[in-house]
Amino acid sequence: MKKYKGFKGVLLIDDDAATNFIHTKMIERADVDVQVTAINNAVDALDFLAYTGKYSGTEHMPRPGVIFLDINMPGLSGWDFMDEYRKMDDSLKARMVVIMLTTSINPADKERALKNSDISTFLHKPLKPHMVEDFAMKYFEEEI
């Protein structure tokens, strides 16, 4: 498995447990050495990134190099997550690539995502292993 500088973890943010399970398996099948953290709501995901709430004291866990974010979730949506993410201290966001991964076919969602400087790209589910490998090569330097 290939290792990449700054890419030790993936954060999946999706309210559907089955989707998180399938996407975890797809990431595990990719030729990339990363740890997957799957979280089913935006509030907990923000706590994970900031080491707060139930994620207080988790500084030892690999930080995500890539965040796969669903749009439509109860409570805070993916858009709400991005509003809060934007407010976070830059040191907590260091070298994270945010990718909207959704079933939305609304062109306005894609347009909104691509206009957001904190979102790298907009993709449709399901996630595939080659997608993870492509992002690793595009955004990170391979360790030798």
Side-chain angles (χ1 to χ4, degrees), residues 2-5 7 31-32 34 66 95 130-142:
K2 294 179 182 175
K3 294 183 180 202
Y4 293 84
K5 294 177 185 172
F7 188 26
D31 187 28
V32 178
V34 293
V66 174
R95 200 62 189 117
H130 72 86
M131 295 162 81
V132 177
E133 295 164 6
D134 291 348
F135 293 123
M137 289 186 292
K138 182 175 181 176
Y139 295 107
F140 301 93
E141 182 182 340
E142 187 175 353

Side-chain angles (χ1 to χ4, degrees), residues 105-123:
I105 57 171
N106 183 343
D109 283 338
K110 183 174 184 176
E111 184 178 332
R112 182 176 177 186
L114 296 177
K115 284 183 178 178
N116 185 319
S117 63
D118 289 319
I119 298 174
S120 299
T121 194
F122 181 94
L123 297 174

Side-chain angles (χ1 to χ4, degrees), residues 7-66:
F7 188 26
K8 305 300 178 211
V10 170
L11 176 59
L12 297 173
I13 308 170
D14 196 308
D15 62 303
D16 183 67
T19 298
N20 277 337
F21 177 79
I22 291 166
H23 287 167
T24 297
K25 293 299 176 192
M26 292 298 105
I27 294 165
E28 290 171 352
R29 289 184 184 158
D31 187 28
V32 178
D33 186 15
V34 293
Q35 180 177 326
V36 179
T37 302
I39 298 178
N40 64 5
N41 68 77
V43 172
D44 285 350
L46 290 164
D47 281 347
F48 176 75
L49 295 175
Y51 308 106
T52 57
K54 70 181 182 180
Y55 293 100
S56 179
T58 61
E59 291 83 0
H60 64 282
M61 294 177 69
R63 304 323 294 163
V66 174

